[in-house]
Amino acid sequence: MNLVIRGGMVVTSRFCFRADVSCDDERIVALAAPGEASDGEEEIDATGLLVFPGFIDPHVHSRDPGLTEKEDFAHSTRAAAAGGVTTLFEMPNAIPPVSDVSVFRDRAEQHVRSAFVDFGLWAISLGAENLSELPALIDEGAVGVKLFWGYALHRETKQLVYNLADEPPENLIMPPGNGDVLDIFEQVARARGLLAAHCEDREVNEAAQRALGREIDGYEDFLASRPDTAEAATIALGAEFARATGCRFHVVHTSSARGVEIVRQAQREGVPISAETCPQYLTLTDESYASVGPMMKVYPPIRRALDRDALWEGVLDGTISSLGSDHAPHTAEQKRQDLVEGPAGAVGVETLVPVLLNEVSKGRLSPERLAWALSEGTARLYGVYPQKGAILPGADADLTIVDPDAEWTIRNERLHSKHPLSPWNGLEGRGAVRFGLVRGQVVMRDGEPVGEPRGRLVRPVRAKQEDAALG
């Protein structure tokens, strides 16, 4: 269907300009001066609104299949659409995880039946267990390879095992040693893929817990048990492995000032390293625990104001090239446990965009920088630009249309995840998504998903990948 978005302020990573955007056959076909586009079969009056390239959430755990008591792909993609996200990238730690091409194809076939937005699939590294599978997974279209660095995996389910004492040794795939991790870097580099890692050194965390000398009692103890040194040490080692192999290395959910500084310095030295952070690290601190409580328990932990401020600096100067939600739901019963017993992870895909738009309204983040971090920069990093992340003729007609002055309050009961328990419940802010379009079709209007599932699998175009550190 021919669609025209009239009179909006088009936002790119470099500048804003008023234009009519014409879409046809699922693509953007033309940009014209306001009022000069030909009539469309359908039209949206975007006067006074901001028209962004469709926002991408590259870090989503939908728990589907195998853990669908927590969430499923239909719920997570409906929530994404409701929040103004038009493409998400699904993390690989469902049951079974995406560890070979057969699982990749099965997962894509399954998810396309329930996806309300377009999606890409991450592959998982199981260390030596699937090292030889990684090139085929990258060739098949995995957006990246995820390494849960330092974590053991259950041998049968391939799920993360946080406490090794909980399982007999024969049930575990032990965390790969550094030599095995270097092999992973080399394999991904040869395949011209992207390797991403959860960066927390397990032995540093274990030493910190021993040094604490008591059971965790409150958020200060929780932070002491997972220090920023654990993140910084892993990032530094990853940077050296990237330097040695040429592998593109991506640090997901960066949480600390030390972490972002190590990434910045490595980038200055020409290391192919990039970084992501999340709204929880940009808007919450240890002081938030008094009001938010265990709902804000995530790994790595939300740290102090100095870490938050350093992460903002990284976003603004381009050290951090991508933002993601790390949407990781659990059941309501699980998340209502205390800090020690409750699982790490929070609902976030639906609140990613409004929380960041609120920062735009406060002047902390420019619309152009948001367009980079949630659209163009993320699309370039994962090799899907300019199919995604662009308002250009030939690009997919993915658009997130925002009323910058609209006010809102996040309420759990209005969210669309299976267990809608948000760390931002009760937050009031400004900047609301009015329309979300996926390939020229309206999939969200005023915060509510519309229509039927129509999402498709998105595969990177390796030849068009660019250095993610460029901002």
Side-chain angles (χ1 to χ4, degrees):
M1 177 180 292
N2 179 263
L3 168 70
V4 178
I5 297 92
R6 288 200 180 274
M9 180 69 74
V10 173
V11 183
T12 75
S13 64
R14 294 169 180 81
F15 43 77
C16 302
F17 58 95
R18 295 195 181 280
D20 294 344
V21 182
S22 296
C23 311
D24 198 12
D25 194 24
E26 302 191 341
R27 301 288 182 93
I28 295 170
V29 295
L31 283 78
E36 294 189 5
S38 301
D39 291 342
E41 297 173 44
E42 182 179 349
E43 297 201 357
I44 293 174
D45 181 2
T47 304
L49 306 182
L50 304 178
V51 181
F52 287 91
F55 289 143
I56 302 167
D57 187 344
H59 196 149
V60 174
H61 303 262
S62 296
R63 315 297 197 189
D64 189 351
L67 296 167
T68 51
E69 73 279 5
K70 299 173 183 277
E71 183 73 303
D72 57 45
F73 206 63
H75 277 85
S76 67
T77 56
R78 276 176 57 84
V85 170
T86 61
T87 301
L88 62 79
F89 296 157
E90 176 67 9
M91 282 294 174
N93 57 333
I95 301 175
V98 179
S99 57
D100 59 43
V101 168
S102 175
V103 178
F104 183 101
R105 291 174 179 171
D106 288 346
R107 194 62 40 81
E109 182 180 353
Q110 173 189 335
H111 284 347
V112 78
R113 293 194 290 267
S114 59
F116 280 80
V117 299
D118 284 356
F119 65 94
L121 294 177
W122 283 87
I124 194 171
S125 169
L126 304 176
E129 300 269 331
N130 76 330
L131 184 65
S132 63
E133 299 284 347
L134 299 183
L137 280 161
I138 292 166
D139 288 344
E140 185 67 22
V143 295
V145 175
K146 177 69 177 291
L147 171 65
F148 293 92
W149 202 335
Y151 282 95
L153 300 169
H154 193 281
R155 183 163 295 281
E156 181 178 351
T157 66
K158 309 301 189 293
Q159 288 297 286
L160 301 181
V161 177
Y162 293 100
N163 187 348
L164 301 186
D166 290 343
E167 292 287 342
E170 61 269 21
N171 287 355
L172 296 176
I173 300 173
M174 294 302 292
N178 288 340
D180 289 333
V181 172
L182 184 58
D183 289 342
I184 296 167
F185 273 76
E186 290 174 340
Q187 192 79 301
V188 174
R190 282 196 291 269
R192 299 177 62 214
L194 176 73
L195 178 63
H198 178 123
C199 291
E200 282 187 291
D201 187 284
R202 177 174 58 88
E203 293 182 356
V204 170
N205 281 341
E206 289 173 351
Q209 290 160 19
R210 290 194 300 271
L212 185 61
R214 60 178 182 275
E215 294 297 317
I216 294 172
D217 181 18
Y219 202 79
E220 282 297 310
D221 285 355
F222 177 60
L223 278 184
S225 73
R226 304 186 81 93
D228 59 357
T229 304
E231 179 176 81
T234 305
I235 294 173
L237 183 57
E240 288 305 308
F241 285 177
R243 190 195 308 271
T245 62
C247 179
R248 295 190 305 125
F249 177 53
H250 186 54
V251 182
V252 294
H253 49 49
T254 312
S255 71
S256 67
R258 286 294 304 130
V260 74
E261 182 53 38
I262 292 167
V263 172
R264 180 181 290 112
Q265 185 58 41
Q267 288 174 347
R268 288 171 177 165
E269 295 170 2
V271 176
I273 186 171
S274 55
E276 162 201 278
T277 196
C278 312
Q280 49 268 37
Y281 303 117
L282 294 172
T283 64
L284 303 174
T285 70
D286 57 322
E287 295 182 357
S288 305
Y289 187 77
S291 58
V292 179
M295 292 296 166
M296 66 180 262
K297 181 181 179 180
V298 293
Y299 293 154
I302 294 163
R303 303 188 190 276
R304 306 188 190 280
L306 65 89
D307 297 291
R308 177 200 60 198
D309 294 345
L311 292 165
W312 270 116
E313 184 179 349
V315 171
L316 297 177
D317 71 11
T319 302
I320 293 172
S321 57
S322 181
L323 300 173
S325 69
D326 195 8
H327 178 76
H330 298 280
T331 67
E333 181 181 11
Q334 290 168 331
K335 284 306 290 182
R336 285 175 174 141
Q337 293 177 300
D338 64 25
L339 179 63
V340 175
E341 297 299 324
V347 167
V349 69
E350 188 168 350
T351 53
L352 169 69
V353 174
V355 168
L356 293 171
L357 286 173
N358 191 43
E359 298 301 314
V360 173
S361 77
K362 294 190 292 187
R364 190 157 203 176
L365 186 65
S366 71
E368 294 90 342
R369 199 67 206 165
L370 183 65
W372 172 264
L374 273 185
S375 296
E376 183 180 337
T378 295
R380 288 180 181 273
L381 170 64
Y382 292 98
V384 298
Y385 183 87
Q387 177 187 0
K388 304 294 185 184
I391 301 181
L392 294 170
D396 283 357
D398 294 354
L399 300 167
T400 303
I401 303 175
V402 170
D403 182 346
D405 298 318
E407 297 181 348
W408 45 258
T409 303
I410 293 174
R411 299 290 186 197
N412 284 338
E413 59 269 21
R414 298 177 189 167
L415 300 178
H416 294 78
S417 287
K418 184 174 281 190
H419 298 282
L421 296 170
S422 170
W424 292 280
N425 183 46
L427 177 68
E428 298 177 349
R430 176 173 292 177
V433 180
R434 291 303 188 204
F435 299 92
L437 283 73
V438 174
R439 287 176 283 105
Q441 182 73 40
V442 175
V443 298
M444 182 272 266
R445 184 178 288 110
D446 291 330
E448 287 298 325
V450 297
E452 299 298 320
R454 66 184 307 272
R456 293 180 185 168
L457 178 69
V458 179
R459 288 182 167 92
V461 179
R462 299 293 164 194
K464 293 185 178 180
Q465 286 178 336
E466 299 185 22
D467 183 0
L470 296 177

